[in-house]
């Protein structure tokens, strides 16, 4: 008798303030239909990486399904970075930038179909000071916004909007940055510098129109001037690309140094204040199921 295929389903119970029971039930029903054994793991925020590595070694699943936001996906990707496994995403977080970038469909049913048996795409990751980034990290204004949001009690879009106002009213002077790649060195004053492997933030805002997640390169997007008008445009999804306020560099390795400690975030998680970032691309690191 053939052994059953095994998939591991990783559920983050608290991401995005939404109930995951519907996703769970539909996943189990589909697995039964395809005669696939599902091993369910709920994240707790304590030693999850270790537990996921153990689960993988024990069951050697063909696919890992994740229901959660970008933070959960990143954690799983880091835990299994040296394993040959396809990851299927069932979006259910407050930020789902990666699912936007991979053009994943809108409904649970369609996402399950993709996650269960579609083709996969190998995507790059970026190493920043030794930490992994899957899609977008930044220095400056947005990282401050992420920090304020993490510390606030109001969640969701309203919480985010409130923090935009707070962050902009408490705006400090721009910082000075020196960006060094193999071809060039740029010195400039900036409000925000984005290190982008992909095109969009989880909120759907396009910040890097040229970004591809599998081209062995990343982009550095320098936003030199961010008054309320420009920031408003970016938040509504229209980055003013042809202005002198925005410069984009494409490379596979760079160093950014700043004249003072600047707030920094990776994939929606506030890291702290930094004065130096060493950045390099890690090509074809993970396999993700895509439509």
């Amino acid at each position: 008798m053939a052994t059953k295929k095994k998939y591991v389903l990783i559920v983050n119970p608290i991401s995005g303030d939404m109930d995951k029971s519907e996703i769970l039930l539909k996943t189990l029903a589909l697995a039964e239909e395809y005669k696939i054994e599902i091993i369910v793991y709920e994240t707790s925020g304590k030693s999850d990486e270790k537990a996921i590595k153990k689960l993988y070694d024990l069951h050697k699943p063909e696919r890992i399904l994740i229901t959660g936001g970008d933070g959960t996906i990143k954690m799983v990707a880091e835990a299994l970075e040296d394993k040959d496994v396809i990851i299927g995403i069932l979006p259910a977080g407050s930020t789902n930038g990666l699912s936007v970038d991979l053009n994943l469909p809108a409904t649970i049913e369609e996402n399950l179909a993709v996650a269960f048996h579609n083709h996969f795409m190998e995507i790059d990751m970026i190493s920043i000071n030794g930490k992994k980034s899957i899609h977008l990290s930044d220095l400056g204004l947005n990282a401050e916004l992420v920090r304020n949001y993490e510390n606030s009690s109001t969640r969701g879009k309203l919480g985010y909007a409130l923090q935009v106002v707070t962050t902009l009213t408490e705006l400090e002077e721009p910082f000075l940055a020196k960006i060094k790649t193999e071809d060039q060195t740029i010195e400039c004053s900036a409000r925000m510098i984005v290190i982008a492997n992909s095109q969009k933030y989880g909120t759907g805002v396009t910040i890097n129109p040229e970004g591809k997640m599998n081209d062995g390169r990343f982009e550095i997007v320098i936003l030199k001037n961010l008054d309320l008008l420009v920031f408003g445009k970016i938040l509504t999804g229209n980055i003013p690309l042809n202005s002198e306020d925005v410069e984009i560099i494409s490379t596979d390795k760079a160093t950014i140094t700043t004249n003072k400690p600047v707030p920094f975030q990776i994939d929606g998680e506030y890291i702290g204040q930094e004065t130096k970032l060493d950045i390099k691309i890690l090509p074809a690191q993970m396999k993700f199921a895509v439509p």
Side-chain angles (χ1 to χ4, degrees):
M1 199 177 119
T3 51
K4 259 187 169 183
K5 272 189 190 177
K6 286 183 184 179
Y7 288 1
V8 168
L9 171 65
I10 293 166
V11 181
N12 179 341
I14 58 170
S15 66
D17 288 345
M18 63 181 279
D19 182 18
K20 311 294 185 313
S21 51
E22 189 191 352
I23 298 179
L24 186 60
L25 288 171
K26 287 185 171 169
T27 306
L28 294 172
L30 196 62
E32 200 166 304
E33 197 182 313
Y34 289 120
K35 307 213 176 349
I36 292 167
E37 184 186 340
I38 294 267
I39 296 108
V40 180
Y41 174 79
E42 261 198 20
T43 61
S44 64
K46 294 185 184 76
S47 347
D48 286 320
E49 268 193 53
K50 220 189 218 159
I52 288 164
K53 280 180 181 161
K54 257 191 178 151
L55 261 185
Y56 180 87
D57 291 337
L58 184 66
H59 297 286
K60 300 279 191 294
E62 289 186 23
R63 293 198 174 208
I64 301 271
L65 312 179
I66 302 170
T67 178
D70 290 335
T72 315
I73 295 164
K74 180 167 169 277
M75 184 266 295
V76 175
E78 287 185 342
L80 302 175
E81 62 186 349
D82 54 350
K83 311 290 185 207
D84 186 17
V85 64
I86 297 168
I87 294 177
I89 301 172
L90 307 170
S94 45
T95 55
N96 292 296
L98 193 59
S99 58
V100 172
D101 282 313
L102 296 173
N103 290 320
L104 293 183
T107 69
I108 299 176
E109 289 77 8
E110 290 172 298
N111 274 311
L112 277 168
V114 172
F116 262 72
H117 44 220
N118 260 42
H119 305 296
F120 62 85
M121 169 170 139
E122 286 193 284
I123 71 166
D124 308 330
M125 287 169 94
I126 304 174
S127 165
I128 307 173
N129 290 359
K131 292 186 169 74
K132 302 276 169 53
S133 167
I134 296 185
H135 58 124
L136 292 163
S137 304
D138 52 59
L139 275 167
L141 193 60
N142 186 60
E144 241 169 280
L145 179 57
V146 168
R147 179 185 63 195
N148 291 343
Y149 179 70
E150 277 183 12
N151 294 335
S152 81
S153 53
T154 316
R155 284 280 169 259
K157 288 210 163 75
L158 173 67
Y160 200 73
L162 288 171
Q163 292 316 317
V164 170
V165 177
T166 311
T167 309
L168 284 170
T169 43
E170 292 169 1
L171 209 53
E172 290 179 22
E173 286 302 296
F175 56 92
L176 300 175
K178 185 178 185 176
I179 299 164
K180 213 173 164 184
T181 69
E182 281 174 347
D183 316 326
Q184 56 181 328
T185 299
I186 291 175
E187 296 194 29
C188 60
S189 101
R191 285 280 183 205
M192 179 168 151
I193 295 175
V194 184
I195 299 136
N197 188 28
S198 61
Q199 297 187 357
K200 294 180 175 131
Y201 278 106
T203 46
V205 173
T206 298
I207 192 82
N208 177 32
E210 302 304 306
K212 287 190 178 69
M213 301 184 79
N214 58 351
D215 61 355
R217 299 176 78 77
F218 61 88
E219 282 71 43
I220 296 171
V221 184
I222 309 162
L223 298 151
K224 296 173 184 173
N225 170 31
L226 268 187
D227 57 18
L228 253 172
L229 190 69
V230 178
F231 197 54
K233 276 185 177 164
I234 290 170
L235 284 173
T236 53
N238 309 302
I239 176 168
L241 279 177
N242 50 1
S243 76
E244 44 263 40
D245 293 334
V246 181
E247 188 170 347
I248 299 182
I249 305 161
S250 181
T251 182
D252 59 2
K253 203 162 80 187
T255 307
I256 300 176
T257 42
T258 59
N259 66 324
K260 60 179 182 185
V262 181
F264 174 60
Q265 67 90 19
I266 292 183
D267 292 345
E269 183 191 347
Y270 183 67
I271 302 296
Q273 296 197 319
E274 301 287 350
T275 53
K276 185 178 184 192
L277 301 179
D278 283 308
I279 313 157
K280 62 177 183 191
I281 198 80
L282 305 167
Q285 285 274 298
M286 300 299 306
K287 293 175 177 176
F288 283 96
V290 290

